[in-house]
Amino acid sequence: MVHAPAVPEIYEEDLQSAIEARAETLQTLRELGPPDLVHLIKQPIKSATKQVGVYHHVTGIDASSSASLAAYINTLTYSTHDKQHKVVSGTYCCYNAFSRLDMRVQVFIPGTVESYCIDERGDKRVATDELWLETYLCSVLRAYSYADDGSGDTIKKIVGVRRFNPITSTESEHRFLDAAERLFFNGWQLGSDPEIQVPNLVSNHLTTGLLDYIHTTGRYASGINLFEKLRTRDPEISSLLARVYIAADEEVKAVQLLHEAIQELPMDYSLLDCQAEFCNKKSRSDLALEIAKRSVVSAPSEFGTWARLAEVYVSLEQWDFALLTLNSCPMFTYQDKDAPRMPEPQKVFLPIMPEAMCDEIEDSNVEDIELVHPTLRKLHAAGFKGTFLKAYFLLTEITKKIGWDQLLRIRSQVFVMEEEYRHEKQTIGQQTQSRSASTTALRSPTPTTNGHGEVKEVSDSEEEGVESHGEASTSAPIGESIEKPGHTVASEVVKAGSDEPDSQPNYTHFQNKRLCERWLDNLFMVLYEDLRVYTIWRTEMAQYRQQQLVYKKSAEEWEILGELAERLHHTDEAVEAYENCLQMRFSPKAMKGVLKLTDGNHNVRDVCGALIKLVTWQYRWYSEFSPSLLFTIRKLIEEEGAVKIRSIIQGTSLPQHVLDLTHQYAALCAAFRSSGSDG
């Protein structure tokens, strides 16, 4: 039997300060809310004079009633490491994002249980059954949202989070989907992913969570059943049903459904986007093009519709239209997950369970952080999120297909460049003093919202750093092989050049060109920086190999280079860098990178070995649930059969308590009757 992960303890400087800090931040929450807060008050067994407050965060606990939350607190009353104190009371705080209330359950040991809720003003309210239903659903959605690899800034900032799987049986699935059905039409109140401008019926945190759950577990029949019922109440939900049909390999049904639904709702952008994506993936970009254009017309303020159109143009190899479409994308400032704001703790205790002890995942070489070249730390693309991440992905995809030089040529054909603008302006100034009122040639297709702070231009000092990076003496000429992009002209520059507010010069040279949005111009600079560093790295490595010398990097540098190669779609080079990192020390990021990039071309034993280590690492840091690992194990069982996978896991040389952690994931697949789990 696998025990629950260890319990981290964060000690308060002042008693109840964690509870007070949570109450103060309620009015600032905008998304699903932070993980649940569990606060315990301890006192010495032999004395009642000095009380101490400890807390931790948790996700995935059944929040359907006060009894289930009180039961969790009761599991914390016995501590293996602290036999000097006893728990005298505990408070469980769970955020209800529908009603914007913090549900509280207070347990006095021994004694009574009190449940209530706190509103944004700090006032107490009665906890009704309807509020508990909302809280339960939010809790499940948060468990999936906060469960995985810690790639988001918010997740990294939260110390000591226990993560549990909220749905471990078909019975608990039924309760989850029943709650989702009852509250489905309120889902827009929860907010949405950062790429969505306006949350709506089919694009919000509830629908994202439902699709994540179905994708992770492969419970397609349950998803189809849910959306079939909901579709009778609103045909717009057909887009969600179609996506589940496609995932379940029921493509004929999906095509028929989309055809019928679009006849009924011809300008529904979610339906059109689903149809365009399907056609594009089936190599029918010619069909996808007109559909994607219609989707843009139906939702011009949504990033996703423009991004899909740009994606289709990339598939059609119409690079100029791809760039112009990308330039028209509305960009949104990234909104990270809600995070708790806790006061500075007195001390932090992060215990390790014996079951999580495994030499293969020990954190070693922690001093690596000091062995990273400054240039690698300045790769701004590594920090992109939301709309900027997607836009950068499209730009790098174009670069991979046509090369940097060709990309710059097309860029200068479709956008007004700074140098030619200055030249044209000078020429016009010499020819005449008069100004024309015509500004049509210099109009930007679609104004964008402000998100420029997320993209940083490359400074001259950084460019010099890129050139000097590495140990090979030929690094400067290597850097020169990547042409530095010139700047385009921003609309504010053009407007600033006019003496009269409604008057601008008639630049006939630019009749067929557009002004490049500043964020996209900066994206080119960031891409240039990535390409420079990548080229230097690969050239240096080739030179060292030719001279039969060892090319040395620290483990973290290899990890960063792996991410760099992955960003630029150089899969083999990314895998090579990640594997070099793993040879030096265990890195969950590098191991997940190898698993992802070798998908479909992997050795089953190697994958099982990687999964065992990742599962153990997660458990070491208080998580017994990772949707991405569950998905990988499910797909492996689907392809190879449960018996084979279990025997491979059991046949490794790792300790039994470590293997049992991975067996638990396989058992979950069996409980859900996943494909392949019966053989």
Side-chain angles (χ1 to χ4, degrees):
M1 179 184 171
V2 173
H3 296 284
V7 182
E9 290 186 330
I10 301 167
Y11 286 76
E12 294 176 309
E13 190 75 57
D14 301 310
L15 201 63
Q16 298 282 1
S17 59
I19 297 281
E20 291 166 6
R22 184 174 173 100
E24 287 169 7
T25 58
L26 289 180
Q27 58 188 349
T28 67
L29 301 179
R30 294 290 174 266
E31 302 286 315
L32 282 170
D36 302 350
L37 173 67
V38 180
H39 181 270
L40 304 175
I41 293 180
K42 295 181 174 186
Q43 68 184 33
I45 292 172
K46 297 178 181 177
S47 165
T49 55
K50 172 72 173 169
Q51 292 188 331
V52 294
V54 299
Y55 68 89
H56 65 270
H57 288 92
V58 64
T59 60
I61 299 299
D62 177 5
S64 58
S65 68
S66 60
S68 59
L69 298 184
Y72 177 76
I73 289 176
N74 285 325
T75 66
L76 306 172
T77 55
Y78 174 74
S79 172
T80 55
H81 65 269
D82 185 1
K83 302 191 186 301
Q84 316 304 315
H85 294 80
K86 63 179 179 180
V87 176
V88 294
S89 71
T91 304
Y92 194 113
C93 310
C94 188
Y95 187 66
N96 177 340
F98 284 103
S99 297
R100 302 182 65 79
L101 300 166
D102 206 29
M103 306 296 279
R104 302 277 176 90
V105 174
Q106 207 162 356
V107 179
F108 299 93
I109 303 167
T112 58
V113 175
E114 182 188 1
S115 66
Y116 55 92
C117 48
I118 299 289
D119 64 19
E120 293 175 343
R121 294 185 300 276
D123 297 333
K124 265 191 180 185
R125 294 230 221 132
V126 176
T128 63
D129 289 345
E130 182 61 28
L131 289 176
W132 278 116
L133 178 70
E134 293 174 349
T135 306
Y136 162 72
L137 186 55
C138 290
S139 174
V140 176
L141 297 175
R142 265 195 306 273
Y144 265 80
S145 178
Y146 278 92
D148 251 323
D149 59 6
S151 57
D153 287 345
T154 296
I155 301 174
K156 289 177 182 173
K157 289 174 187 170
I158 309 173
V159 177
V161 185
R162 298 181 93 199
R163 297 180 176 93
F164 295 92
N165 186 351
I167 306 163
T168 56
S169 65
T170 51
E171 291 77 17
S172 54
E173 177 196 88
H174 177 75
R175 186 169 53 170
F176 166 51
L177 296 183
D178 180 64
E181 182 181 352
R182 290 167 66 180
L183 294 169
F184 187 86
F185 292 89
N186 296 334
W188 61 271
Q189 297 172 9
L190 300 177
S192 61
D193 286 346
E195 295 85 0
I196 305 294
Q197 170 80 317
V198 181
N200 59 38
L201 182 64
V202 296
S203 298
N204 57 63
H205 283 311
L206 174 54
T207 58
T208 298
L210 284 167
L211 292 175
D212 280 351
Y213 170 76
I214 295 162
H215 168 79
T216 299
T217 59
R219 299 284 292 172
Y220 303 117
S222 300
I224 289 167
N225 182 47
L226 171 68
F227 292 133
E228 278 283 14
K229 285 190 287 185
L230 290 167
R231 187 172 70 100
T232 60
R233 296 168 63 184
D234 194 318
E236 195 179 339
I237 295 165
S238 299
S239 64
L240 298 173
L241 178 57
R243 290 188 186 281
V244 179
Y245 273 141
I246 292 167
D249 206 20
E250 297 270 11
E251 293 181 348
V252 173
K253 287 183 179 178
V255 170
Q256 290 171 337
L257 173 65
L258 287 168
H259 174 71
E260 292 166 9
I262 289 172
Q263 282 188 321
E264 188 177 353
L265 300 169
M267 294 305 286
D268 183 280
Y269 87 86
S270 298
L271 288 166
L272 293 167
D273 183 67
C274 183
Q275 194 177 51
E277 181 184 22
F278 179 77
C279 290
N280 201 39
K281 284 183 176 175
K282 290 295 177 182
S283 301
R284 288 305 307 267
S285 308
D286 54 326
L287 297 177
L289 181 59
E290 292 309 313
I291 302 165
K293 284 180 179 177
R294 210 161 83 202
S295 181
V296 165
V297 171
S298 65
S301 64
E302 286 295 339
F303 170 84
T305 57
W306 287 97
R308 181 78 64 212
L309 181 56
E311 206 174 84
V312 172
Y313 278 129
V314 170
S315 299
L316 290 168
E317 299 185 355
Q318 295 183 18
W319 317 115
D320 50 351
F321 285 113
L323 283 184
L324 287 168
T325 305
L326 196 57
N327 190 54
S328 297
C329 286
M331 305 302 284
F332 315 135
T333 302
Y334 181 76
Q335 178 75 42
D336 208 344
K337 295 180 176 71
D338 288 323
R341 298 178 193 167
M342 294 288 117
E344 193 68 29
Q346 183 192 68
K347 65 177 180 177
V348 176
F349 177 62
L350 302 175
I352 304 176
M353 290 280 280
E355 289 84 352
M357 292 181 181
C358 176
D359 291 342
E360 282 80 356
I361 65 161
E362 283 306 306
D363 289 328
S364 57
N365 297 334
V366 288
E367 69 278 3
D368 265 3
I369 195 160
E370 298 170 4
L371 301 175
V372 176
H373 194 284
T375 302
L376 292 178
R377 289 231 177 273
K378 293 176 183 174
L379 293 175
H380 307 304
F384 285 161
K385 300 181 184 75
T387 53
F388 289 93
L389 178 62
K390 176 64 177 174
Y392 191 73
F393 178 87
L394 286 167
L395 198 58
T396 54
E397 195 175 15
I398 296 170
T399 310
K400 172 68 174 169
K401 289 177 186 247
I402 64 174
W404 176 245
D405 292 342
Q406 179 66 1
L407 177 65
L408 291 186
R409 272 194 291 274
I410 294 168
R411 174 179 178 245
S412 64
Q413 288 166 12
V414 297
F415 297 129
V416 181
M417 305 305 294
E418 194 172 60
E419 189 178 338
E420 64 179 338
Y421 171 74
R422 279 202 303 266
H423 181 265
E424 181 79 356
K425 189 177 178 183
Q426 187 179 14
T427 304
I428 289 179
Q430 290 169 350
Q431 289 174 347
T432 176
Q433 292 289 320
S434 64
R435 301 261 172 102
S436 167
S438 171
T439 59
T440 10
L442 292 172
R443 189 172 64 246
S444 179
T446 304
T448 62
T449 55
N450 182 17
H452 306 157
E454 299 207 21
V455 182
K456 187 179 172 187
E457 284 190 45
V458 186
S459 67
D460 292 338
S461 61
E462 285 170 341
E463 285 159 15
E464 289 165 12
V466 174
E467 284 191 36
S468 62
H469 171 66
E471 300 143 6
S473 60
T474 55
S475 58
I478 299 167
E480 290 165 9
S481 68
I482 301 293
E483 182 187 344
K484 181 181 176 182
H487 281 289
T488 55
V489 176
S491 54
E492 55 266 31
V493 173
V494 175
K495 288 170 186 169
S498 172
D499 294 332
E500 299 171 31
D502 298 320
S503 172
Q504 302 225 339
N506 182 17
Y507 297 118
T508 54
H509 183 62
F510 307 137
Q511 287 295 335
N512 298 316
K513 291 194 174 191
R514 295 289 181 268
L515 294 178
C516 182
E517 292 291 337
R518 181 54 62 204
W519 67 264
L520 181 56
D521 190 57
N522 289 342
L523 232 58
F524 273 94
M525 299 299 162
V526 172
L527 176 54
Y528 162 69
E529 184 182 10
D530 264 4
L531 289 168
R532 284 282 293 267
V533 174
Y534 177 82
T535 304
I536 290 169
W537 163 42
R538 297 311 300 174
T539 309
E540 284 181 351
M541 270 198 76
Q543 290 171 348
Y544 274 67
R545 280 175 179 163
Q546 195 175 16
Q547 298 169 31
Q548 297 183 328
L549 297 172
V550 178
Y551 188 68
K552 291 183 179 179
K553 292 287 174 194
S554 68
E556 192 176 354
E557 283 181 325
W558 281 123
E559 191 181 88
I560 293 170
L561 290 170
E563 290 181 291
L564 170 63
E566 188 178 343
R567 278 200 303 275
L568 298 175
H569 309 283
H570 294 294
T571 302
D572 293 344
E573 291 79 2
V575 170
E576 179 187 24
Y578 285 142
E579 287 177 341
N580 285 337
C581 169
L582 291 168
Q583 284 173 10
M584 300 176 75
R585 69 164 165 83
F586 177 76
S587 159
K589 185 183 287 185
M591 192 154 275
K592 286 182 179 183
V594 171
L595 273 181
K596 182 173 74 171
L597 297 173
T598 57
D599 184 36
N601 183 30
H602 52 236
N603 177 294
V604 178
R605 289 185 183 278
D606 290 345
V607 173
C608 286
L611 285 170
I612 292 167
K613 291 173 187 174
L614 286 169
V615 167
T616 310
W617 184 83
Q618 290 261 0
Y619 186 82
R620 157 68 183 91
W621 293 108
Y622 318 115
S623 172
E624 67 165 36
F625 175 52
S626 162
S628 66
L629 295 181
L630 176 57
F631 174 79
T632 304
I633 291 171
R634 177 177 74 79
K635 295 300 286 184
L636 210 55
I637 288 173
E638 191 177 288
E639 293 165 11
E640 306 290 338
V643 173
K644 180 178 177 181
I645 297 305
R646 276 199 301 267
S647 63
I648 290 174
I649 292 168
Q650 196 57 42
T652 60
S653 58
L654 295 168
Q656 188 61 46
H657 63 256
V658 167
L659 303 183
D660 287 343
L661 298 174
T662 307
H663 283 314
Q664 186 174 244
Y665 277 84
L668 195 58
C669 294
F672 282 128
R673 298 188 285 276
S674 300
S675 175
S677 59
D678 53 354

